[in-house]
Amino acid sequence: MEVRYASHYEDVKHYDTSELRKHFLIENLFTPGKLYMVYSHVDRIIVAGAVPTDKPLYLEASKELGSNYFLERREMGIINIGGTGIVNLDGERYELNNSDGLYVGMGIKEVSFESLDANNPAKFYINSATAHKSYPTVKIGLSEANKVKAGTDEECNKRTINQYVHPAVCQSCQLVMGMTILEPGSIWNTMPCHTHDRRMEVYLYFNMDEDNVVFHFMGTPNETRHIVVKNEQAVISPSWSIHSGVGTKNYTFIWGMVGENQTFTDMDEIPTKDLR
């Protein structure tokens, strides 16, 4: 478990490129045979990647949680971006194909991850938030996600927002999670950009080859910064920060949010002309 502490926006405006990457970029989420976790003190979200190969990987509590088991006081969302895999929850098996999602409620004691084919392993992307109530576990396929069409060809941001862990699909305490797929020829997400002071967010960018990147924009609207993000890397976005990106080619990203509410449209839009 790697721990990241919260940063004040007045401090962040003095960060150079390496400092920005150190505090906000998560580079090595998916390593074969490993379960890697980052605990962020921004709303206490945990971001993790699990890539089981020839043996299961087990999700266990650590000192940072102060609990007997990982989901004792937490909920979790999972989206598989790799080969077919199995999530075991207290002995019940859930098979997740590529782009399948799973909401896991508070109180599940034993969690493990497996791949059906070690040569084409699952890549389980995980977001976990603190929880106050247990809700049922729900498997959500891409076809079952709530779909919102957005953007235009002219603005180079035509995309489909697939809402997995969302009030329109299943109940959760505070976690909201989904996957946005940009169409060929579209490279922008969330522009005009926004902040939402009631919620933080994490972006995972993927479906990019090694020759392409996303320029992720962050910072306050009058002190913008950027981070160059490669395939299968994630960025932590505090509630005070804009979070927008432009790729050298179309891509896919998974967004996860925790905070005061679950209202997807609760955002403070920033006119493009006001950015600096």
Side-chain angles (χ1 to χ4, degrees):
M1 180 87 78
E2 179 187 348
V3 177
R4 304 276 185 101
Y5 290 93
S7 302
H8 194 281
Y9 60 85
E10 288 289 347
D11 292 326
V12 173
K13 71 181 182 180
H14 300 294
Y15 289 2
D16 62 13
T17 298
S18 62
E19 282 291 298
L20 283 175
R21 297 176 68 86
K22 174 183 174 182
H23 288 280
F24 300 107
L25 180 66
I26 305 173
E27 295 187 77
N28 300 304
L29 269 172
F30 302 103
T31 301
K34 301 291 184 181
L35 170 59
Y36 177 70
M37 293 185 284
V38 173
Y39 183 112
S40 172
H41 278 268
V42 181
D43 285 307
R44 297 190 180 274
I45 192 171
I46 292 176
V47 181
V51 188
T53 51
D54 56 345
K55 59 183 179 180
L57 296 174
Y58 294 88
L59 185 63
E60 299 175 340
S62 61
K63 180 181 179 181
E64 292 82 5
L65 273 61
S67 58
N68 295 312
Y69 53 95
F70 190 90
L71 293 175
E72 185 175 11
R73 291 187 298 273
R74 283 185 165 269
E75 60 184 353
M76 179 170 63
I78 305 167
I79 297 177
N80 181 17
I81 66 169
T84 301
I86 303 292
V87 180
N88 295 289
L89 303 175
D90 285 346
E92 187 167 357
R93 292 166 62 88
Y94 294 86
E95 183 173 313
L96 300 188
N97 296 316
N98 185 279
S99 299
D100 282 347
L102 189 68
Y103 170 75
V104 185
M106 182 184 74
I108 298 294
K109 292 184 177 181
E110 296 182 2
V111 181
S112 66
F113 306 95
E114 302 175 29
S115 292
L116 291 189
D117 181 358
N119 294 316
N120 181 30
K123 293 181 179 180
F124 296 108
Y125 178 64
I126 302 160
N127 284 178
S128 175
T130 55
H132 61 274
K133 183 178 180 179
S134 179
Y135 287 111
T137 295
V138 180
K139 179 181 175 182
I140 308 118
L142 179 60
S143 62
E144 297 158 331
N146 188 54
K147 299 185 184 304
V148 178
K149 299 288 186 179
T152 65
D153 289 328
E154 291 77 12
E155 295 173 310
C156 301
N157 64 352
K158 198 170 183 180
R159 62 201 188 276
T160 301
I161 302 167
N162 298 280
Q163 298 167 335
Y164 284 70
V165 182
H166 182 276
V169 179
C170 68
Q171 290 181 298
S172 65
C173 290
Q174 63 165 320
L175 179 65
V176 181
M177 192 175 181
M179 181 166 65
T180 297
I181 302 173
L182 275 70
E183 296 194 9
S186 288
I187 54 175
W188 280 99
N189 71 70
T190 321
M191 182 60 76
C193 63
H194 61 267
T195 60
H196 30 71
D197 207 38
R198 279 71 56 191
R199 295 177 294 166
M200 65 82 66
E201 192 159 8
V202 177
Y203 273 24
L204 170 73
Y205 293 101
F206 65 107
N207 281 348
M208 297 185 288
D209 59 42
E210 63 180 11
D211 294 325
N212 288 284
V213 299
V214 168
F215 292 83
H216 176 90
F217 294 99
M218 62 165 296
T220 57
N222 64 344
E223 283 284 351
T224 58
R225 300 289 186 271
H226 78 268
I227 298 176
V228 177
V229 185
K230 296 181 180 179
N231 188 47
E232 297 182 356
Q233 295 181 344
V235 180
I236 299 168
S237 178
S239 56
W240 47 261
S241 177
I242 65 169
H243 39 284
S244 182
V246 59
T248 54
K249 191 178 179 181
N250 66 308
Y251 52 92
T252 303
F253 66 99
I254 294 174
W255 42 268
M257 295 182 281
V258 302
E260 294 290 344
N261 63 30
Q262 296 180 309
T263 307
F264 188 83
T265 56
D266 179 13
M267 58 187 73
D268 301 315
E269 295 188 357
I270 312 297
T272 304
K273 63 181 178 63
D274 293 339
L275 292 173
R276 287 189 286 170

